[in-house]
Every structure is written in structure tokens, then in C-alpha cells.
């Protein structure tokens, strides 16, 4: 996921939305890109829809959303199931069933 974002940053600015606002998960991206003026990182919890800030960011940068599960595996009542996300990269957890997905939308 970092490699994909790093390559995108070589071409221009990036706006990254990370699902969650707790634990080390969203803050790992803050730390990795600390001091990089070409990336803006925002946390979203709950992540239930593509909002205006996300759509507006697409006008001036590449926009990515990091989520922790594949929408095919989401419980049928979970709002993430309805998001129009396109999976770009899957980051598998080394010793576990969970994955992190870098996604985007049209």
C-alpha cells in the first residue's frame, strides 16, 4: 500500500482517507508520511458514504481510501457494503485472516 501511494506521489499530490480514528491503524500513515507536504491524510469514522470533501479532493489530487476489509466479505447490514469502492491493493496481515485494502472511487 505504501509503495502504491509513494509511486502516486511521484506524479502529484495525494489525498488519503483512512477508515477509523482509533488505535495505531490510521496513525501509521500519519507517521510514515510525516512532514510530506504533498499528501493530506484524513480519518473517517464511521465511513458510511463518499462525502463532498472526498469528491472535491479528486479535482486537485489522486484520492485513496484505506479500509480494513474487502466489501465482498462485509456483513450484509454494514454500510461499507454499499460504497462504490474499487480495490487497488490488498495488504495481507502477516499472521491472520484480516487484510487492509487501498481503494478509490469514480
Amino acid at each position: 500500500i505504501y509503495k502504491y501511494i509513494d509511486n502516486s506521489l511521484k506524479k502529484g499530490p495525494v489525498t488519503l482517507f483512512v477508515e477509523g480514528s482509533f488505535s495505531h491503524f490510521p496513525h501509521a500513515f500519519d507517521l510514515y508520511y510525516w512532514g510530506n507536504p504533498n499528501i493530506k491524510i484524513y480519518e473517517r469514522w464511521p465511513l458510511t458514504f463518499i462525502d463532498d470533501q472526498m469528491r472535491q479532493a479528486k479535482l486537485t489530487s489522486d484520492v485513496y481510501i484505506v479500509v480494513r476489509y474487502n466489501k465482498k466479505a462485509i456483513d450484509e447490514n454494514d454500510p461499507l457494503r454499499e460504497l462504490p469502492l474499487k480495490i487497488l491493493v490488498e495488504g495481507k496481515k502477516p499472521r491472520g485472516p484480516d487484510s487492509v485494502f487501498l481503494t478509490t472511487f469514480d
Side-chain angles (χ1 to χ4, degrees):
I1 289 175
Y2 289 115
K3 208 184 271 187
Y4 193 100
I5 295 169
D6 290 345
N7 286 333
S8 188
L9 280 165
K10 291 176 185 175
K11 299 177 228 163
V14 168
T15 304
L16 182 67
F17 294 90
V18 181
E19 177 208 4
S21 60
F22 49 87
S23 81
H24 66 279
F25 178 67
H27 303 297
F29 294 95
D30 289 327
L31 292 173
Y32 185 86
Y33 292 107
W34 188 271
N36 187 330
N38 295 318
I39 187 168
K40 294 178 183 172
I41 302 170
Y42 300 97
E43 298 170 356
R44 285 293 186 274
W45 186 259
L47 178 59
T48 56
F49 60 94
I50 304 299
D51 62 38
D52 288 340
Q53 184 182 22
M54 294 172 173
R55 293 185 199 288
Q56 287 297 314
K58 276 204 159 237
L59 300 175
T60 58
S61 67
D62 286 339
V63 174
Y64 303 112
I65 302 172
V66 178
V67 295
R68 285 187 254 196
Y69 20 64
N70 184 332
K71 76 180 197 174
K72 293 177 188 168
I74 296 172
D75 177 272
E76 67 182 49
N77 296 318
D78 194 311
L80 279 176
R81 182 181 192 88
E82 301 303 319
L83 288 177
L85 300 177
K86 175 183 169 190
I87 296 171
L88 302 171
V89 177
E90 178 181 3
K92 293 185 181 217
K93 189 174 178 181
R95 286 178 289 283
D98 300 329
S99 291
V100 174
F101 294 88
L102 182 66
T103 69
T104 193
F105 61 95
D106 292 325

